[in-house]
């Protein structure tokens, strides 16, 4: 089975569901363990492995598994940091929207009310960005709507600032600018993943490690079926968790948009 074929199969399984990915990973690791076991049995079929040989093989396998555990921890840490960044940007964007709403109220008049109405519509669109994007087409449509509302609000705010330059209008522009910047930050964080080369290294190190483990079992003449199966299931669960966190739009580990909903509720009834 080639490198590209394995990655393609795992990616297709992840697109369907995380449970399917888990089952595919478990079956793949079990198959590699069995191959390693048979190679170990074949290598020592005609002669009995002495304790020195078993100890040497066990030492090497322990080192490989230790390296794999370290790599798994590093990868999970990277995925979790990406998750925390996505959560933080939701809160920051909600706070920026609330600040812009309050400053539009200070401006007052027809322009202030228009900006507040556009801010309410904008916040609803931003909620959809976090909640409803599942395909590329969804993202393109909502990004276009985000840009349109940003342009309308900026046009009104700059007109107010030109007609009546004041600290209040300057603060309004500053609040809108921060809010717009955070929408771009959100796009970056939601498209930023654990680097592919790290995920590939994790996958192939896992295959080599469980193959070596199976070889060690083969040398000893016992599959250790229960313990090895438990280990492979736990290992597969950890990899699936990393992949799940790495897919904030498709996976079950999603980002709550509640702060934006709370901000929208604070705007009061729509006019």
């Amino acid at each position: 089975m080639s490198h590209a074929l394995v990655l393609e199969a795992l990616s297709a399984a992840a697109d369907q569901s995380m449970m399917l990915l888990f089952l595919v990973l478990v079956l793949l690791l079990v198959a590699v363990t069995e191959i390693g076991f048979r190679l170990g049995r074949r290598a020592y079929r005609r002669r009995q492995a002495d304790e020195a040989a078993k100890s040497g093989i066990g030492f090497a396998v322990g080192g490989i598994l230790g390296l794999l555990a370290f790599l798994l921890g590093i990868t999970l840490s990277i995925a979790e940091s990406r998750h925390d960044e996505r959560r933080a940007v939701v809160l920051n964007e909600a706070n920026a929207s609330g600040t812009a709403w309050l400053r539009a109220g200070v401006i007052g008049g027809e322009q202030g009310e228009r900006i507040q109405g556009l801010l309410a519509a904008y916040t609803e669109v931003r909620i959809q960005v976090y909640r409803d994007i599942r395909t590329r087409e969804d993202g393109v449509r909502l990004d276009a709507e985000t840009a349109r509302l940003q342009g309308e609000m900026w046009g009104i705010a700059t007109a107010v600032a030109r007609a009546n330059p004041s600290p209040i209008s300057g603060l309004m522009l500053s609040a809108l600018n921060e809010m717009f910047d955070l929408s771009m930050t959100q796009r970056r964080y939601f498209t930023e993943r654990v680097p592919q080369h790290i995920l590939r290294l994790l996958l192939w190190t896992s295959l080599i490690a469980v193959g070596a483990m199976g070889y060690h079992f083969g040398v000893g003449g016992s599959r250790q079926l229960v313990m090895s199966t438990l280990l492979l299931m736990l290992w597969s669960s950890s990899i699936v968790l990393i992949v799940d966190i790495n897919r904030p739009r498709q996976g079950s580990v999603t980002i709550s948009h509640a702060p934006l909903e709370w901000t929208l509720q604070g705007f009061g009834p729509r006019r």
Side-chain angles (χ1 to χ4, degrees):
M1 186 176 292
S2 68
H3 175 281
L5 186 58
V6 172
L7 291 179
E8 183 178 345
L10 292 176
S11 179
D15 290 338
Q16 295 297 318
S17 72
M18 291 298 111
M19 179 56 69
L20 180 59
L21 175 62
F22 171 76
L23 294 175
V24 171
L25 272 174
V26 170
L27 291 175
L28 178 61
L29 295 180
V30 167
V32 173
T33 304
E34 181 64 18
I35 292 172
F37 177 83
R38 296 194 177 193
L39 289 176
R41 292 302 297 152
R42 177 178 296 181
Y44 288 91
R45 179 176 298 169
R46 297 181 179 178
R47 61 188 177 90
Q48 186 69 27
D50 56 27
E51 291 302 319
K54 291 181 181 179
S55 177
I57 295 172
F59 179 80
V61 171
I64 295 173
L65 290 174
L67 176 61
L68 179 56
F70 175 76
L71 180 60
L72 180 64
I74 292 295
T75 308
L76 187 57
S77 176
I78 294 173
E80 183 62 26
S81 69
R82 299 286 191 270
H83 181 72
D84 289 342
E85 288 170 348
R86 295 175 193 128
R87 291 179 58 195
V89 77
V90 180
L91 181 59
N92 292 337
E93 191 169 359
N95 288 335
S97 298
T99 299
W101 168 272
L102 293 174
R103 291 180 181 177
V106 174
I107 288 177
E110 181 182 352
Q111 292 91 344
E113 290 182 0
R114 287 178 62 193
I115 293 176
Q116 284 187 329
L118 289 170
L119 272 168
Y122 180 82
T123 304
E124 288 181 345
V125 171
R126 299 308 296 166
I127 289 172
Q128 293 178 51
V129 167
Y130 288 101
R131 183 188 63 197
D132 297 338
I133 291 181
R134 292 294 179 269
T135 64
R136 182 180 179 84
E137 290 72 20
D138 293 335
V140 170
R141 175 178 56 83
L142 290 172
D143 287 341
E145 183 65 12
T146 294
R148 184 187 69 80
L149 290 169
Q150 287 176 350
E152 288 191 35
M153 286 185 285
W154 190 255
I156 297 172
T158 52
V160 171
R162 291 191 184 102
N164 184 26
S166 67
I168 294 176
S169 60
L171 288 172
M172 181 74 252
L173 291 174
S174 176
L176 289 177
N177 185 67
E178 181 183 3
M179 189 176 69
F180 298 165
D181 288 345
L182 284 169
S183 70
M184 183 59 66
T185 302
Q186 178 271 328
R187 289 184 66 181
R188 178 200 167 193
Y189 284 164
F190 273 71
T191 55
E192 197 169 65
R193 305 283 190 266
V194 176
Q196 286 294 318
H197 60 274
I198 294 181
L199 291 176
R200 285 195 294 267
L201 178 61
L202 176 62
L203 173 62
W204 295 113
T205 304
S206 298
L207 295 177
I208 292 171
V210 299
M213 182 181 69
Y215 185 89
H216 186 225
F217 291 158
V219 171
S222 173
R223 281 187 171 85
Q224 301 293 331
L225 185 60
V226 174
M227 298 307 298
S228 63
T229 301
L230 288 175
L231 175 62
L232 297 182
M233 291 179 67
L234 288 173
W235 216 271
S236 298
S237 299
S238 301
I239 296 176
V240 168
L241 177 60
I242 292 172
V243 174
D244 200 350
I245 296 174
N246 210 38
R247 292 176 167 228
R249 301 286 189 196
Q250 294 85 21
S252 58
V253 182
T254 56
I255 304 299
S256 173
H257 53 273
L260 282 167
E261 289 188 337
W262 300 335
T263 299
L264 184 61
Q265 292 169 5
F267 291 168
R270 297 286 299 276
R271 298 181 180 178

